[in-house]
Amino acid sequence: MDISKKTGAGNHGGSRAGKNRIKKAASVFLAALFLCSLPFSSSAVSVKRGDANMDGEVTVDDSRQILRYAVKLDACYRGHIKICDVNNSGAVDVNDARAVLRHCVKLDNIDDSPVEVTDEELQPPSEDELLGDLSKYPLPTVPANENKPGYFRFVVYGDGHGIGLSQYGAVYMAEKGCTYKYILSHYFPETEIRFAETIPEKTVYVGEEYDTMELLCRMVAQEIGGIIPPIEALKAQTVAIFTLLKKYNYNVSSKWTVATIADKNSSIWTNSWCQNTLVPTVIETVGQYLVKTNDSSNTPVLTVYSRMAAGATVNCKDEWWDSYPVSVKSPFEMTQKDFVSVHYISAADLKSKIIQRGIATEAELGSDPSKWIKILSHTASIDKNRGYVTDILVGGTVLSKVGTFSEKLGLGFESGCFTVEYTK
């Protein structure tokens, strides 16, 4: 939720069916944790190049398996590439499948000498490996200055308050192969998933009572359904919203506190993907919520979210009242086509807004517009020159807190991360 923007459970404790469903999910989760905690030994085996199914011979069946890797019907990891990349292109593609097939029917020969492959290389890479070095992601492209004399040029990065989960960041991470648990642990560090023992049948939302499960599905649909995200990003969004519902004890006083909801007749809610994928995924994921690690009180954390963070998320204390969530790197969305927006505002219009809003007087501004505004500090979330503005001097007044400048002047910037320059 950008704040700037059917279970079987029964009332007061939930039905037996609701409890059983949640306990079953918890059991599966704990079992998975146990399996993941078992010691892993990495041993190497010798495999002929081209022997995709590792049965000891290079046959037509291997050509078929390589083709499945090439068209992404099966997952292809580092070990599979070592075995199947017979043309040494660095990847497994249809040309490798063709080369193996021609080798099998004796039209050509491939180098089928053995390669050493470890168990670890045949397993999925870790999320850290999938994402790579977060400090080396490409920086955003900024449009050229239109050189408009007498105008201020504001270049704005990202979209939303930037605190907590970045929705587009979650989508990127999921597309790379990260799980929803990893996504949540990245944006909400030092937290762990707990399971609600009960889910009330009804939730009060802005003074009206709703079926809790339907309300949750409509919230998720409204907040991320328009993107049509990968399943793992969808699960991360579900956990974030459910955590907030639980935090506010299923009584939401304002739609900006947790999420807005999709209208039952809207295309976001009625489309086939939403009904056939989103709703079942939400039902599967419901009941999981985030708390600080080792918190015996089971207090849900503030799992807020926004559309696109600007290089890194914002420390909550730099914007609102809470000390959590904290800032984490989020460079994943910086190449999105609408990550950067440019706003030109004439000196006359900006001067009028500053005076009308009581931020500075005409005398305090002076006659030189280039001296009206100066960014004093920012979070350096993108690089040393760009970040969320934390202090900005307007005339003789210092405005503090991320987003304050745009809000006070009614400029409608997409985020509090911006730069400003004046063209004489």
Side-chain angles (χ1 to χ4, degrees):
M1 162 270 320
D2 190 328
I3 284 188
S4 60
K5 233 165 154 173
K6 282 191 188 184
T7 75
N11 285 319
H12 309 295
S15 69
R16 185 181 302 274
K19 291 180 181 178
N20 288 341
R21 178 177 56 75
I22 295 171
K23 288 178 179 178
K24 181 179 179 181
S27 298
V28 172
F29 175 69
L30 291 173
L33 281 181
F34 171 75
L35 289 174
C36 290
S37 68
L38 293 176
F40 176 78
S41 60
S42 180
S43 59
V45 294
S46 182
V47 183
K48 287 183 177 181
R49 295 190 72 202
D51 182 14
N53 60 17
M54 301 173 62
D55 66 355
E57 299 295 333
V58 179
T59 67
V60 173
D61 287 338
D62 296 307
S63 175
R64 184 180 299 113
Q65 180 59 55
I66 293 172
L67 183 60
R68 290 181 64 85
Y69 288 145
V71 297
K72 303 187 185 307
L73 287 176
D74 290 335
C76 184
Y77 303 128
R78 291 167 294 171
H80 303 118
I81 294 174
K82 286 174 71 172
I83 297 168
C84 303
D85 179 23
V86 296
N87 63 7
N88 297 310
S89 67
V92 176
D93 54 33
V94 294
N95 292 323
D96 295 305
R98 183 183 298 113
V100 169
L101 181 60
R102 290 179 64 85
H103 173 80
C104 292
V105 297
K106 303 188 185 306
L107 290 176
D108 283 324
N109 289 317
I110 63 169
D111 175 10
D112 60 357
S113 57
V115 293
E116 295 294 310
V117 181
T118 65
D119 293 338
E120 186 177 19
E121 289 175 322
L122 296 172
Q123 301 299 318
S126 70
E127 279 98 342
D128 287 341
E129 291 176 299
L130 291 170
L131 296 176
D133 187 343
L134 300 191
S135 67
K136 295 183 178 179
Y137 274 62
L139 295 176
T141 301
V142 180
N145 194 334
E146 295 180 17
N147 193 30
K148 300 173 69 172
Y151 277 76
F152 287 89
R153 180 180 188 250
F154 294 90
V155 181
V156 183
Y157 303 89
D159 189 355
H161 51 68
I163 302 171
L165 174 75
S166 166
Q167 292 171 316
Y168 273 73
V171 168
Y172 178 94
M173 293 172 75
E175 288 175 341
K176 282 291 185 180
C178 296
T179 66
Y180 75 100
K181 294 173 187 176
Y182 185 85
I183 294 169
L184 291 169
S185 69
H186 176 78
Y187 284 107
F188 302 104
E190 298 183 1
T191 62
E192 58 187 61
I193 289 178
R194 302 274 172 87
F195 288 84
E197 293 187 2
T198 60
I199 301 175
E201 183 180 350
K202 300 293 183 181
T203 290
V204 176
Y205 178 76
V206 196
E208 294 187 36
E209 198 173 63
Y210 290 80
D211 177 273
T212 299
M213 202 61 215
E214 179 191 317
L215 179 67
L216 177 61
C217 288
R218 289 171 62 185
M219 284 179 166
V220 175
Q222 179 66 32
E223 293 296 341
I224 203 171
I227 301 174
I228 311 226
I231 294 297
E232 296 302 305
L234 187 57
K235 289 180 179 179
Q237 179 72 81
T238 299
V239 174
I241 293 180
F242 180 79
T243 300
L244 291 175
L245 286 179
K246 184 170 175 58
K247 184 176 183 66
Y248 296 112
N249 200 27
Y250 308 98
N251 191 334
V252 182
S253 59
S254 167
K255 63 182 180 179
W256 308 120
T257 306
V258 176
T260 54
I261 61 175
D263 185 271
K264 283 189 174 183
N265 296 318
S266 70
S267 58
I268 290 177
W269 175 249
T270 58
N271 70 62
S272 60
W273 179 85
C274 181
Q275 294 302 311
N276 296 330
T277 301
L278 183 147
V279 171
T281 301
V282 172
I283 292 173
E284 175 190 342
T285 312
V286 69
Q288 301 179 48
Y289 67 101
L290 291 181
V291 303
K292 294 299 289 291
T293 304
N294 300 322
D295 178 8
S296 59
S297 70
N298 288 326
T299 303
V301 297
L302 187 66
T303 48
V304 291
Y305 48 90
S306 63
R307 186 166 176 257
M308 285 190 286
T313 60
V314 175
N315 274 314
C316 194
K317 64 181 180 181
D318 289 335
E319 171 77 350
W320 300 332
W321 65 93
D322 211 320
S323 60
Y324 191 88
V326 295
S327 176
V328 299
K329 288 184 177 297
S330 186
F332 319 114
E333 53 274 73
M334 291 200 297
T335 55
Q336 285 283 333
K337 63 180 181 180
D338 55 348
F339 178 78
V340 179
S341 60
V342 180
H343 305 258
Y344 288 92
I345 302 174
S346 70
D349 285 346
L350 190 60
K351 179 179 182 180
S352 176
K353 288 179 181 294
I354 292 172
I355 295 173
Q356 287 178 3
R357 304 279 173 134
I359 296 172
T361 65
E362 185 168 1
E364 288 172 327
L365 289 175
S367 59
D368 184 356
S370 66
K371 297 180 180 179
W372 290 356
I373 299 173
K374 182 181 181 180
I375 294 175
L376 302 177
S377 64
H378 61 77
T379 63
S381 57
I382 295 177
D383 55 27
K384 66 179 182 179
N385 298 313
R386 295 173 291 182
Y388 290 93
V389 175
T390 48
D391 290 287
I392 187 169
L393 181 66
V394 183
T397 302
V398 175
L399 301 179
S400 298
K401 294 286 187 183
V402 172
T404 301
F405 176 76
S406 174
E407 292 171 7
K408 283 189 175 294
L409 292 180
L411 300 178
F413 290 171
E414 290 82 355
S415 96
C417 181
F418 63 88
T419 59
V420 57
E421 57 184 322
Y422 176 71
T423 302
K424 293 186 177 181

